[in-house]
């Protein structure tokens, strides 16, 4: 038999660059698939002629939220299943489900088929919670957390660059390239099939790479022994040390109980292990999940309303229209949108992804290191309502300055939202009482977040429809700002982590490996 070299397992003290890179590749296809529908969702629903044309924003919200509804229903299941069978199988199944969803939506001939296609993708996709769990299991040193937890939002930002470009460019290919896609062809009968097929192909590539190269991160499925690099195993290698074995026997062969099972001790050990697993329903975890839900809701309303507001018909001069408006002018008069084309909206969303990429790669690590995770969490949460209050003011901007104004609004929004999301993930991991509960907690957070993503688009779409009928589309944006204000108040219910000795906030670069029990600030009778 030839010698077999025992490879060294990954050093847990090193930053997991390779595995995070592979996980990022698998993750990349999903935001591309999910955001590619944003530029054409409004037009996609309008082709089905469901209700009045003004109701398209509401039905587009239902189409987008159907994925999140199904994902919310199954998030806990996939999170729990990943604790039993491993993270990697669940991740692959989630990518397969998303790919199937894209194909079904592309071939949809009515609103119901499109809704079913989106729902199938959500039912089979539990990747949000699973990926968060895998990142938490790959990162073992607290000083690596800001850098590691910024990777997946960074990848999401890359996906939000590519996805809208695919959706805006390849939607309605007959209108864009009549020579390649003639009238009566497959892509003329299904004008939104091509972007879905492109995204499905990217998902297929990520499935293959993830299946072949990605390692399992579940703690109970890791190798038990890591031998040195220079250790070799062959048929001549002794399995057990035999010299002096009789002088120091492992058991007493003369004992009458030799070979029996001490059931009492075994039961006592199992009981002790069960009693040492703390509950995941602490106040800190619940408050963090509530904060995550509030952020997810108003962030999703922004993503849903932005392309609708950009593509909606523009009133040439809002101020002139208000001056000549017959009768009483409603408060905050804001009729219509910006009147941009679908390719222009796709390009704007791609630039938005570039801005988010810069914030994630440059601004977030520096801010988290210098300000601290908890303080930065409070700052960006309190400032979040500004991002929504600015958007309706774009109607007052002259046409020649509209694009710089749009990018200024998107920059403010990205600085706030792109920083806040990884902060919530870091705080949620810190609040996890046991590594064995990480999958369940992330599954719970993913389900709660998906439920908010389910509610946000139809509610925002309804507010936009209602506002457009009274020439006040800004009411949808002000509704999101109101929810962000609620989040700004609620964030102070999240207690901060403190060092037992110094009673100061623990910075990411200063946290050391220590027991999972932390000392938290207690006000009145509240405790975690």
């Amino acid at each position: 038999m030839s010698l077999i070299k025992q490879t060294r397992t990954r050093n847990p003290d090193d930053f997991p660059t390779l595995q995070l890179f592979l996980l990022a590749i698998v993750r990349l296809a999903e935001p591309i698939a999910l955001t590619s529908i944003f530029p054409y969702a409004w037009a996609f629903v309008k082709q089905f002629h469901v209700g009045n044309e003004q109701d398209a924003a509401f039905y587009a919200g239902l189409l987008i939220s159907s994925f999140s509804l199904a994902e919310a229903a199954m998030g806990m299941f996939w999170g729990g299943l990943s604790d039993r069978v491993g993270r990697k199988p669940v991740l692959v199944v989630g990518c397969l489900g998303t790919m199937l969803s894209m194909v079904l939506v592309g071939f949809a001939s009515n609103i119901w088929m499109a809704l079913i296609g989106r729902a199938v993708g959500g039912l089979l996709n539990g990747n949000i919670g699973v990926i968060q769990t895998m990142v938490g299991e790959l990162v073992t040193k607290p000083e690596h957390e800001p850098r590691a937890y910024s990777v997946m939002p960074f990848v999401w930002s890359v996906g939000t660059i590519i996805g809208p470009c695919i959706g805006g460019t390849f939607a309605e290919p007959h209108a864009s390239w009549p020579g390649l896609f003639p009238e009566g062809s497959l892509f003329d009968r299904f004008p939104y099939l091509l972007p879905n097929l492109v995204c499905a192909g990217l998902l297929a590539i990520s499935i293959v790479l993830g299946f072949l190269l990605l390692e399992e991160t579940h703690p109970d499925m890791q190798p038990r022994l890591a031998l040195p690099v220079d250790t070799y195993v062959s048929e001549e290698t002794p399995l057990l040390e035999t010299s002096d074995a009789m002088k120091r026997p492992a058991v007493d062969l003369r004992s009458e109980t030799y070979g029996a099972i001490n059931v009492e001790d075994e039961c006592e050990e199992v009981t002790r292990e069960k009693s040492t697993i703390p509950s995941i329903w602490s106040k800190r975890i619940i408050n963090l999940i509530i904060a995550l839900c509030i952020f997810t809701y108003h962030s999703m309303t922004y993503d849903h309303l932005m392309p609708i507001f950009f593509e909606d018909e523009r009133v040439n001069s809002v101020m002139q229209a208000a001056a000549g408006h017959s009768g009483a002018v409603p408060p905050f008069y804001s009729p219509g949108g910006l009147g941009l084309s679908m390719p222009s909206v796709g390009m704007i969303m791609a630039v938005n992804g570039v801005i988010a990429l810069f914030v994630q790669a440059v601004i977030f690590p520096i801010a988290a290191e210098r300000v601290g995770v908890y303080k930065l969490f409070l700052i960006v949460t309190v400032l979040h309502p500004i991002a929504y209050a600015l958007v309706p003011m774009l109607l007052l901007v002259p046409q020649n300055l509209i694009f710089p104004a749009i990018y200024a609004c998107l920059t403010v929004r990205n600085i706030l939202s792109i920083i806040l999301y990884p902060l919530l993930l870091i705080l949620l991991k810190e609040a996890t009482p046991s590594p064995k509960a990480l999958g369940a907690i992330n599954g719970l957070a993913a389900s709660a977040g998906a439920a908010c993503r389910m509610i946000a688009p139809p509610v925002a779409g309804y507010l936009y429809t209602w506002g457009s009928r009274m020439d006040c589309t800004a009411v949808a944006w002000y509704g999101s700002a109101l929810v962000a204000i609620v989040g700004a108040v609620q964030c102070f219910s999240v207690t901060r982590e403190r060092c037992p000795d110094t009673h100061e906030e623990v910075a990411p670069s200063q946290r050391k490996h220590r027991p999972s029990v932390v000392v938290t600030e207690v006000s009145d009778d509240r405790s975690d």
Side-chain angles (χ1 to χ4, degrees):
M1 180 184 295
S2 60
L3 297 178
I4 302 175
K5 188 172 183 177
Q6 301 295 315
T7 58
R8 188 190 301 271
T9 59
R10 182 178 60 85
N11 187 349
D13 291 333
D14 294 339
F15 188 79
T17 304
L18 178 60
Q19 283 303 300
L20 283 177
F21 174 75
L22 295 172
L23 189 62
I25 293 177
V26 176
R27 176 63 167 156
L28 178 62
E30 189 174 9
I32 292 175
L34 295 181
T35 59
S36 64
I37 194 175
F38 287 164
Y40 63 82
W42 194 45
F44 184 47
V45 171
K46 288 170 69 175
Q47 75 167 352
F48 298 136
H49 304 290
V50 182
N52 299 325
E53 184 173 339
Q54 287 182 326
D55 297 330
F58 172 72
Y59 288 107
L62 289 180
L63 179 64
I64 293 174
S65 66
S66 59
F67 182 95
S68 300
L69 170 63
E71 188 180 33
M74 296 295 290
M76 283 292 290
F77 168 78
W78 291 117
L81 184 64
S82 71
D83 287 336
R84 297 192 297 272
V85 304
R87 320 298 185 198
K88 186 174 176 179
V90 175
L91 190 66
V92 172
V93 170
C95 291
L96 285 170
T98 305
M99 184 171 67
L100 176 62
S101 171
M102 302 300 296
V103 175
L104 291 176
V105 171
F107 281 104
S109 57
N110 54 67
I111 187 64
W112 298 110
M113 186 174 177
L115 288 172
I116 291 173
R118 294 281 295 178
V120 167
L123 287 172
L124 298 177
N125 192 310
N127 287 1
I128 294 179
V130 173
I131 287 176
Q132 291 175 6
T133 303
M134 294 181 75
V135 173
E137 290 169 343
L138 286 170
V139 179
T140 57
K141 300 189 73 175
E143 52 266 32
H144 290 161
E145 287 179 353
R147 180 181 169 195
Y149 275 97
S150 66
V151 171
M152 293 307 125
F154 181 88
V155 171
W156 180 271
S157 300
V158 175
T160 57
I161 298 172
I162 303 173
C165 280
I166 293 176
T169 303
F170 295 104
E172 300 178 349
H174 169 66
S176 302
W177 306 288
L180 295 176
F181 306 97
E183 185 177 359
S185 63
L186 177 66
F187 295 103
D188 180 38
R189 289 184 285 117
F190 300 100
Y192 304 101
L193 173 62
L194 184 58
N196 284 279
L197 289 181
V198 172
C199 294
L202 295 175
L203 280 164
I205 296 174
S206 70
I207 290 170
V208 173
L209 292 176
F211 180 78
L212 296 178
L213 302 176
L214 197 62
E215 294 179 0
E216 178 59 60
T217 62
H218 194 290
D220 295 339
M221 299 180 185
Q222 300 301 307
R224 297 294 183 184
L225 181 63
L227 297 177
V229 175
D230 55 353
T231 302
Y232 292 84
V233 176
S234 69
E235 54 188 7
E236 291 85 16
T237 303
L239 298 179
L240 294 173
E241 181 186 5
T242 57
S243 62
D244 209 24
M246 294 305 295
K247 294 181 181 179
R248 297 191 300 269
V251 296
D252 187 359
L253 303 178
R254 298 168 297 177
S255 173
E256 295 180 358
T257 60
Y258 172 69
I261 299 176
N262 193 337
V263 181
E264 183 176 331
D265 291 345
E266 184 176 347
C267 292
E268 182 181 350
E269 182 67 23
V270 172
T271 303
R272 187 183 305 112
E273 288 182 1
K274 289 184 178 180
S275 63
T276 56
I277 300 178
S279 172
I280 66 173
W281 299 102
S282 66
K283 281 188 177 182
R284 182 176 173 84
I285 292 176
I286 293 174
N287 287 329
L288 281 170
I289 292 178
I290 292 174
L292 179 64
C293 289
I294 295 174
F295 165 72
T296 302
Y297 175 88
H298 61 69
S299 179
M300 189 66 186
T301 62
Y302 196 105
D303 293 334
H304 174 60
L305 290 173
M306 181 172 62
I308 297 175
F309 179 69
F310 288 170
E311 294 177 23
D312 199 1
E313 185 178 357
R314 180 183 177 92
V315 176
N316 290 331
S317 177
V318 175
M319 299 303 295
Q320 292 178 3
H325 196 280
S326 59
V329 178
F332 307 107
Y333 181 71
S334 54
L338 300 181
L340 302 178
S341 65
M342 189 183 302
S344 297
V345 173
M347 183 58 61
I348 289 172
M349 296 183 71
V351 175
N352 179 55
V354 174
I355 298 172
L357 200 65
F358 176 80
V359 173
Q360 191 66 62
V362 179
I363 297 179
F364 169 72
I366 297 175
E369 184 66 25
R370 294 187 178 181
V371 180
V373 171
Y374 181 78
K375 290 180 181 178
L376 189 60
F377 160 70
L378 294 180
I379 292 172
V380 296
T381 305
V382 169
L383 294 178
H384 236 102
I386 298 174
Y388 303 96
L390 288 176
V391 179
M393 297 180 183
L394 292 173
L395 293 172
L396 304 176
V397 176
Q399 188 67 32
N400 59 332
L401 298 176
I402 191 64
F403 283 98
I406 288 174
Y407 296 139
C409 289
L410 293 178
T411 300
V412 173
R413 190 259 176 157
N414 278 307
I415 290 176
L416 297 174
S417 64
I418 297 300
I419 288 178
L420 180 55
Y421 183 65
L423 293 177
L424 285 167
L425 299 184
I426 294 174
L427 292 172
L428 194 61
K429 182 190 174 183
E430 290 176 356
T432 302
S434 169
K436 294 183 178 180
L438 190 58
I441 290 177
N442 281 325
L444 175 62
S447 292
C452 293
R453 286 195 302 274
M454 168 198 69
I455 299 172
V459 171
Y462 174 78
L463 288 176
Y464 191 88
T465 299
W466 179 58
S468 63
R469 289 172 179 168
M470 53 182 290
D471 289 334
C472 187
T473 55
V475 70
W477 296 103
Y478 295 147
S480 299
L482 180 61
V483 177
I485 291 173
V486 174
V489 175
Q490 187 273 340
C491 71
F492 292 98
S493 65
V494 178
T495 53
R496 66 192 303 182
E497 183 184 1
R498 291 178 175 272
C499 293
D501 298 330
T502 63
H503 299 286
E504 296 293 337
E505 181 185 1
V506 183
S509 61
Q510 296 173 342
R511 289 195 299 267
K512 305 297 181 182
H513 294 286
R514 61 180 188 275
S516 58
V517 178
V518 297
V519 176
T520 56
E521 182 180 23
V522 180
S523 300
D524 299 331
D525 59 346
R526 295 178 300 169
S527 61
D528 286 345

